Amino acid sequence: MKLTILGCYAATPRTFTNPTAQVLEIKNRLFLIDCGEGTQVQLRKNKIKFSKINHIFISHLHGDHFFGLIGLISTFSLLGRTTKLHIYGPMGIKEIILLQLRLSNSWPNFELIFQELTNKESELILEDDKVKVQTIPLKHRIYTNGFLFEEKEGDRKLNIEAVNKYQIDTCYYLKIKKGGDITLDNGTVIKNEELSFPGIQPKSYAFCSDTIFNETIIPNIKKVFALYHESTFLQTEAELAKKTFHSTASEAATIAAKAQVSYLILGHYSTRYENISLFKEEAQRVFENVLLAEDGKVFDFDALQ
Amino acid sequence: MKLTILGCYAATPRTFTNPTAQVLEIKNRLFLIDCGEGTQVQLRKNKIKFSKINHIFISHLHGDHFFGLIGLISTFSLLGRTTKLHIYGPMGIKEIILLQLRLSNSWPNFELIFQELTNKESELILEDDKVKVQTIPLKHRIYTNGFLFEEKEGDRKLNIEAVNKYQIDTCYYLKIKKGGDITLDNGTVIKNEELSFPGIQPKSYAFCSDTIFNETIIPNIKKVFALYHESTFLQTEAELAKKTFHSTASEAATIAAKAQVSYLILGHYSTRYENISLFKEEAQRVFENVLLAEDGKVFDFDALQ
C-alpha cells in the first residue's frame, strides 16, 4: 500500500501549494482521494498513469476538494479513455459534473458511475477480492465523509525448501499460497504452515479531512495502520479551528492516540503557517509516530513497520 | 493597453502549459478573458492583483476556457472581496456557478452579476467612459463569442510652455486636457491645439478563440490594433482544424491580413507541437506583423507602433 500526496494545503491553490488530492495504491490499483483544482497537473508531475485510476472518492463539496474533478474527467475523455470511472461523493456531485458535460456538449466515451452518499452512518461503498472501502462520517460545515481503505489478506509465500522436500507438484502451488493443506500420494496431510510463510501484512488507511475534533470517529478507525487526519491549524488557533469545523495538530494526535493507529499523517495545513514542522512538533507531544504530508511526498506503508 | 497571457494552449493543462486565460489592462482596469483550470495560480505567478479584476469574459463553455472560474470566484470570496464581479459568458454559465456555490454552501460576500449571451449577432456588452466591449460571434462546435475591446480617446497632454506663456490658471488645465479652448481676460480665444498635444492613440484589441476559419468576422475586427486569433494547428493539419472547428496559423494570418489589423497574436496551440516558432513562420508567409503568445508573456500595445 502506497500513498502519494498530490496536494495537502487548505483553501486555495497557490504557486507552490496544492489543495487536497492524494493517490492510494493498493495492489497495483490506484484510488484517487479528493481532487482539488490542478490535480491533473499534479498527477502528471508525479508521473501517475491516468488510465490506472478507476475510482475517485470525494470527501465533501468544498472547492479545494473537488474543483479539479470536472477537468480530470474532461482530460480522461480527451485522452481516449473507454474504461468505466466510479465516483463516490456527496449527493450533488453527479449534477455538477453532468451539467458541465451537457453545457460543453462533451460527453465522454466512457461510463461515469456515480455513487452519491447521503448516509450519516459508516457504510461499505466498495469491496472486491483485494480491498474494502467504507465511509467515515465526519463533522464539518457541510456533509463530509472520510474513507477507510482496508487491504485484504494477500497470498502466503511459498516455502520452496519444504515444497521441494515433499516433491509437491507445481500445480498445487496456488492452493498452498491460498492457505490450503496438501495431501501426499501416501495419504499424509502436510499442514499449510509447513509449506508457506505469511504474506505481506495487509495494511489499512483512513483519510479524515475535513473535520472538527470528533471522538465519535474512533471506533471506525481503531488500530488502522495509517491515519491521515486534517490539521488545518495549530493549537494557538484552537478557537478558529472550532469555529470553522477544522482540527489542530494536537487534536489530530489525540484522535490518533485514542484510536491506537500505527502512524498519523498530518495535512490540510492553512497557508498562514510558513513552517509546517511546527505541526509535527505539536502533534508529537501527544502521539509519537507523526509524519508530515507534503505535496509530491510518497509514503510506502509496506516499508514502514 | 497591456495584455498578459496567463495561458495559451489548447485542450488540457499540463506541467508547463496552461489553458486559455489572459488579462487585458486598459487604463488601470483589468479585464480577464477566459479562465481555464489553474488561472488563479497563473494570476499569482504573474503578480496580478485579484482585487483589480471586476469583469470576466468567457468565450465558450469548453473546459479549457472556463474550468478555473469557480475556483477563482471561491478564492475571491476567501480573500474577503466585497466588490461586485461582472461575468459575461454563454447562457448556462450562471447555472454552473450558482449550483456549485449552493452545494458547497459557500455564498460569496460580493455580488455576482451575470450577463448571459445568446445573441448570434455582435452586441455591445459593456461601455463606460474609458472602454467599449462588443462580442464577436465565432463559429465553433458550441456557441462561442470573441470580444472586441476599444479604448476611448483619452485626455490630451498639456503644452506646459504654451500654458505658461499665456499665464493660464491651473483651474483651466482639466478643460484644456479635455480639448477645450480658453478665453483670456482680454477676450482673446486660444485654440486648444496651441495649448495641448494629442494624448496616447487609443488602442483596440480583438480576442478570437476558438473558431474555425471564418471571414464573416472581418467587419467586426477591421483595423483593430491587435488581433489574438487562435491557431490550434499548422496547415499540415488543415483537415483536422476544419473537422474540429479550429484554425491554422496560416488561416489566422489570412484573417489578419484581410482585416488590416496592425498586429496578429497567435495562440491556443495544440500541445502536439513542440516548437511554436513554426506557427510564426507559417503565418508570416501571409501577414508580416505576427507575435507569438506564450504563457507569462506581456504585450504592451502602447510601446508598439
Side-chain angles (χ1 to χ4, degrees):
Chain A
M1 200 185 268
K2 201 173 82 175
L3 179 72
T4 302
I5 306 294
L6 302 174
C8 62
Y9 287 84
T12 68
R14 300 169 78 96
T15 310
F16 301 109
T17 65
N18 295 280
T20 305
Q22 43 186 253
V23 173
L24 183 68
E25 181 175 341
I26 302 177
K27 292 178 176 160
N28 212 26
R29 294 174 193 187
L30 301 187
F31 300 97
L32 177 62
I33 307 167
D34 278 349
C35 190
E37 186 174 348
T39 294
Q40 57 176 313
V41 173
Q42 284 298 96
L43 285 168
R44 286 190 196 274
K45 282 189 185 164
N46 289 279
K47 299 194 181 358
I48 290 168
K49 281 199 177 166
F50 284 31
S51 59
K52 281 172 74 181
I53 298 172
N54 297 322
H55 300 270
I56 301 177
F57 301 84
I58 301 294
S59 62
H60 65 301
L61 295 182
H62 280 155
D64 55 329
H65 294 258
F66 87 97
F67 282 165
L69 181 58
I70 179 68
L72 184 61
I73 291 172
S74 299
T75 295
F76 280 163
S77 190
L78 283 167
L79 294 176
R81 181 189 180 107
T82 53
T83 319
K84 286 178 190 171
L85 181 67
H86 296 263
I87 296 168
Y88 308 82
M91 179 60 71
I93 186 89
K94 184 176 175 178
E95 190 184 355
I96 289 172
I97 298 302
L98 295 193
L99 173 66
Q100 294 185 81
L101 294 174
R102 178 169 63 77
L103 287 169
S104 66
N105 198 21
S106 309
W107 290 105
N109 278 324
F110 57 90
E111 196 181 346
L112 277 169
I113 301 161
F114 290 91
Q115 189 165 329
E116 296 196 290
L117 307 172
T118 53
N119 207 328
K120 288 181 178 168
E121 304 293 325
S122 173
E123 63 179 323
L124 180 69
I125 53 174
L126 172 64
E127 181 164 23
D128 63 18
D129 57 326
K130 298 207 164 80
V131 65
K132 200 171 135 181
V133 187
Q134 292 170 89
T135 60
I136 306 165
L138 301 176
K139 276 193 196 160
H140 192 44
R141 300 195 300 277
I142 57 172
Y143 177 76
T144 305
N145 286 294
F147 301 101
L148 171 65
F149 297 82
E150 291 174 286
E151 195 173 30
K152 289 190 175 173
E153 189 98 41
D155 287 349
R156 292 177 64 85
K157 283 185 193 160
L158 220 56
N159 178 342
I160 290 293
E161 210 168 293
V163 162
N164 286 342
K165 181 178 125 194
Y166 291 108
Q167 296 185 309
I168 293 168
D169 195 274
T170 53
C171 68
Y172 292 105
Y173 285 6
L174 188 63
K175 183 178 176 185
I176 296 168
K177 285 182 186 172
K178 296 289 178 198
D181 300 333
I182 297 294
T183 307
L184 301 180
D185 291 346
N186 65 12
T188 317
V189 174
I190 314 291
K191 285 281 175 196
N192 186 277
E193 290 71 39
E194 204 181 327
L195 300 171
S196 72
F197 303 113
I200 291 172
Q201 187 65 23
K203 296 289 195 303
S204 56
Y205 173 64
F207 170 88
C208 295
S209 186
D210 296 353
T211 184
I212 197 171
F213 175 71
N214 170 21
E215 296 196 351
T216 66
I217 67 171
I218 291 169
N220 299 115
I221 58 171
K222 198 85 187 177
K223 295 192 177 176
V224 295
F225 184 75
L227 164 67
Y228 179 96
H229 193 291
E230 75 127 287
S231 56
T232 309
F233 298 108
L234 293 174
Q235 203 56 28
T236 41
E237 278 72 46
E239 275 310 303
L240 185 56
K242 208 169 173 178
K243 197 176 138 199
T244 56
F245 284 76
H246 284 300
S247 305
T248 66
S250 170
E251 288 170 341
T254 303
I255 297 288
K258 292 197 175 181
Q260 299 170 276
V261 308
S262 301
Y263 289 91
L264 167 65
I265 303 173
L266 295 177
H268 202 266
Y269 317 111
S270 162
T271 49
R272 75 181 56 207
Y273 305 105
E274 285 194 13
N275 179 7
I276 61 167
S277 68
L278 297 175
F279 286 84
K280 188 169 179 173
E281 280 172 30
E282 179 175 301
Q284 279 187 325
R285 282 179 222 128
V286 180
F287 179 81
E288 196 188 341
N289 287 341
V290 177
L291 303 168
L292 288 179
E294 286 177 55
D295 295 4
K297 201 172 195 176
V298 178
F299 297 100
D300 184 348
F301 296 157
D302 297 325
L304 292 172
Q305 287 311 322
Chain B
M1 200 184 269
K2 199 172 83 174
L3 179 71
T4 302
I5 307 293
L6 302 175
C8 63
Y9 287 84
T12 68
R14 299 169 78 96
T15 310
F16 302 108
T17 65
N18 296 280
T20 304
Q22 43 186 253
V23 173
L24 184 68
E25 182 174 340
I26 302 178
K27 294 180 174 160
N28 212 26
R29 293 172 194 188
L30 302 187
F31 300 98
L32 177 63
I33 307 166
D34 279 349
C35 190
E37 186 176 348
T39 294
Q40 58 175 309
V41 173
Q42 285 298 97
L43 286 168
R44 286 189 195 274
K45 282 186 185 166
N46 289 279
K47 301 198 180 352
I48 290 168
K49 280 200 179 166
F50 284 30
S51 59
K52 281 174 74 183
I53 299 172
N54 296 325
H55 300 270
I56 301 177
F57 301 84
I58 301 295
S59 62
H60 65 301
L61 295 182
H62 279 154
D64 54 330
H65 295 256
F66 86 97
F67 282 165
L69 181 58
I70 179 67
L72 185 61
I73 292 172
S74 298
T75 295
F76 280 164
S77 191
L78 283 168
L79 295 176
R81 181 189 179 105
T82 52
T83 319
K84 283 178 191 172
L85 181 67
H86 296 263
I87 296 168
Y88 308 81
M91 180 60 71
I93 187 89
K94 184 176 175 179
E95 189 184 355
I96 289 172
I97 298 302
L98 295 193
L99 173 66
Q100 294 185 80
L101 293 176
R102 179 169 60 78
L103 286 170
S104 66
N105 197 22
S106 308
W107 291 103
N109 278 326
F110 56 92
E111 198 182 344
L112 278 169
I113 301 161
F114 291 91
Q115 188 164 329
E116 295 195 292
L117 308 172
T118 53
N119 207 327
K120 286 179 180 170
E121 305 293 326
S122 172
E123 62 179 325
L124 179 69
I125 53 174
L126 172 65
E127 181 165 21
D128 62 20
D129 57 326
K130 298 207 163 80
V131 66
K132 198 171 135 181
V133 187
Q134 291 169 93
T135 59
I136 306 165
L138 302 176
K139 276 192 196 160
H140 191 45
R141 301 194 302 278
I142 56 173
Y143 177 75
T144 305
N145 286 295
F147 302 100
L148 170 64
F149 297 83
E150 291 174 285
E151 196 173 30
K152 290 190 175 173
E153 190 98 41
D155 288 350
R156 292 178 65 84
K157 283 183 195 162
L158 221 54
N159 179 343
I160 289 293
E161 210 168 292
V163 161
N164 287 342
K165 181 178 122 192
Y166 291 108
Q167 298 185 306
I168 294 171
D169 194 274
T170 54
C171 68
Y172 293 105
Y173 285 5
L174 188 62
K175 185 178 176 188
I176 297 169
K177 285 183 189 171
K178 297 289 178 202
D181 301 333
I182 297 293
T183 307
L184 301 180
D185 291 344
N186 63 13
T188 317
V189 175
I190 314 291
K191 287 279 173 196
N192 186 276
E193 290 71 39
E194 203 181 328
L195 300 171
S196 72
F197 303 113
I200 292 172
Q201 186 65 22
K203 296 286 195 301
S204 56
Y205 172 64
F207 170 88
C208 295
S209 187
D210 297 355
T211 183
I212 196 169
F213 175 72
N214 170 24
E215 296 195 351
T216 65
I217 67 171
I218 291 169
N220 298 116
I221 59 172
K222 199 86 185 172
K223 296 191 177 175
V224 296
F225 183 76
L227 165 66
Y228 178 95
H229 194 291
E230 76 127 287
S231 57
T232 309
F233 299 107
L234 293 174
Q235 203 55 29
T236 41
E237 278 71 45
E239 276 310 303
L240 185 57
K242 209 169 175 180
K243 198 177 137 197
T244 56
F245 285 74
H246 284 298
S247 306
T248 66
S250 171
E251 289 170 341
T254 302
I255 297 290
K258 293 197 174 185
Q260 300 169 274
V261 308
S262 302
Y263 289 92
L264 167 65
I265 303 172
L266 295 177
H268 202 265
Y269 318 112
S270 161
T271 49
R272 73 182 58 207
Y273 305 105
E274 285 194 10
N275 180 6
I276 60 168
S277 69
L278 298 174
F279 286 84
K280 188 168 181 175
E281 281 172 29
E282 181 176 301
Q284 280 187 324
R285 281 179 223 130
V286 181
F287 180 82
E288 197 189 338
N289 285 344
V290 177
L291 304 168
L292 287 179
E294 285 177 57
D295 296 5
K297 204 171 191 175
V298 178
F299 298 100
D300 184 348
F301 296 156
D302 298 324
L304 291 172
Q305 287 311 324

